[in-house]
Amino acid sequence: MTEPGKSEPDTLRLFFALWPDDATRAALNRTGKWLHQHWGGRRMRADTLHITLAFLGSTPADQRDAVLACADAVQTESYELLLDQAGYWRHNRIGWLGMSETPPRHVELVEALNVQLRAAGLPVDDRPHVPHVTLLRNTAGGEIPACEPVRWPVSEFVLVKSVTEPEGAHYEVIRRWPLNMERF
Ligand code: ATP
Ligand code: MG
């Protein structure tokens, strides 16, 4: 319940994401440390590492249930990612870890979410989805080193609230949705 005198904000900054399990997080963090030795910049904190699936941005709080319903309607299978490709973007000085091949099930999950969000009239970013984990901010980048691949078993996706703070965004996982596990 809201404390007296404290009102809930009327908009939430939301995004759907893949949130790593502890072992994957540790492996990503090691890669971040290693990439930082090559390129410099500011390392992302281990507890912030993720892959954005769909970015909603500022969303009226009263649409929260509609957003949850969109995710409830998504039925896709679990899969595995192999993050084997480092890269950086000059325009925003981000250093990231991505993949040389995106598995079809990942694309399916992103599309299924976008279909539901669009059908519900919620804002979706139309730019093509480039799956990546941001590891460095404000980096100059440089020659792209070959990197130790990180295996990420994907068994769920999450809805995250991003809170902007002076020292950078702080993320809060609001809810988790399991993906269908393969049955043998
Ligand atoms: P800050 O913007 O405060 O530096 P941040 O980028 O980590 O921090 P958000 O801007 O809230 O935090 O973004 C949350 C996630 O959504 C990040 O993974 C970010 O890359 C991604 N994101 C942000 N804006 C967009 C957008 N317009 N389209 C797609 N993804 C986005
Ligand atoms: Mg941002």
Side-chain angles (χ1 to χ4, degrees):
M1 233 169 52
T2 311
E3 288 172 47
K6 273 198 178 175
S7 58
E8 290 279 324
D10 51 7
T11 64
L12 305 165
R13 191 173 171 87
L14 297 176
F15 62 103
F16 284 104
L18 299 181
W19 218 247
D21 58 87
D22 289 347
T24 306
R25 177 180 307 287
L28 292 170
N29 197 41
R30 276 196 299 277
T31 304
K33 213 169 180 172
W34 166 83
L35 204 57
H36 183 254
Q37 286 165 2
H38 282 82
W39 291 349
R42 177 168 60 83
R43 277 175 65 199
M44 296 297 289
R45 285 199 324 270
D47 62 310
T48 66
L49 301 175
H50 66 274
I51 293 178
T52 299
L53 298 171
F55 181 76
L56 286 140
S58 181
T59 310
D62 62 7
Q63 290 189 14
R64 187 179 180 271
D65 288 350
V67 175
L68 297 176
C70 287
D72 289 341
V74 167
Q75 290 285 332
T76 52
E77 307 297 316
S78 58
Y79 55 93
E80 190 171 289
L81 294 176
L82 192 66
L83 295 144
D84 59 352
Q85 178 74 60
Y88 68 96
W89 287 316
R90 217 178 285 268
H91 71 281
N92 54 11
R93 298 177 62 82
I94 277 179
W96 47 264
L97 185 65
M99 47 204 126
S100 53
E101 275 180 62
T102 307
R105 284 181 180 179
H106 179 84
V107 178
E108 241 174 69
L109 171 58
V110 170
E111 280 177 359
L113 271 170
N114 278 320
V115 163
Q116 294 297 330
L117 293 169
R118 245 184 236 113
L122 290 158
V124 281
D125 198 323
D126 281 329
R127 290 182 302 178
H129 169 75
V130 181
H132 68 281
V133 182
T134 297
L135 294 174
L136 304 174
R137 294 288 182 113
N138 199 22
T139 183
E143 196 179 323
I144 294 175
C147 72
E148 182 85 24
V150 174
R151 203 181 62 84
W152 181 336
V154 179
S155 57
E156 62 173 12
F157 69 93
V158 301
L159 179 65
V160 188
K161 182 169 93 172
S162 171
V163 182
T164 309
E165 281 168 357
E167 62 277 13
H170 153 92
Y171 304 136
E172 202 181 301
V173 173
I174 294 182
R175 196 169 291 186
R176 301 172 178 269
W177 287 264
L179 298 180
N180 297 326
M181 301 299 280
E182 213 130 28
R183 283 175 231 282
F184 295 99

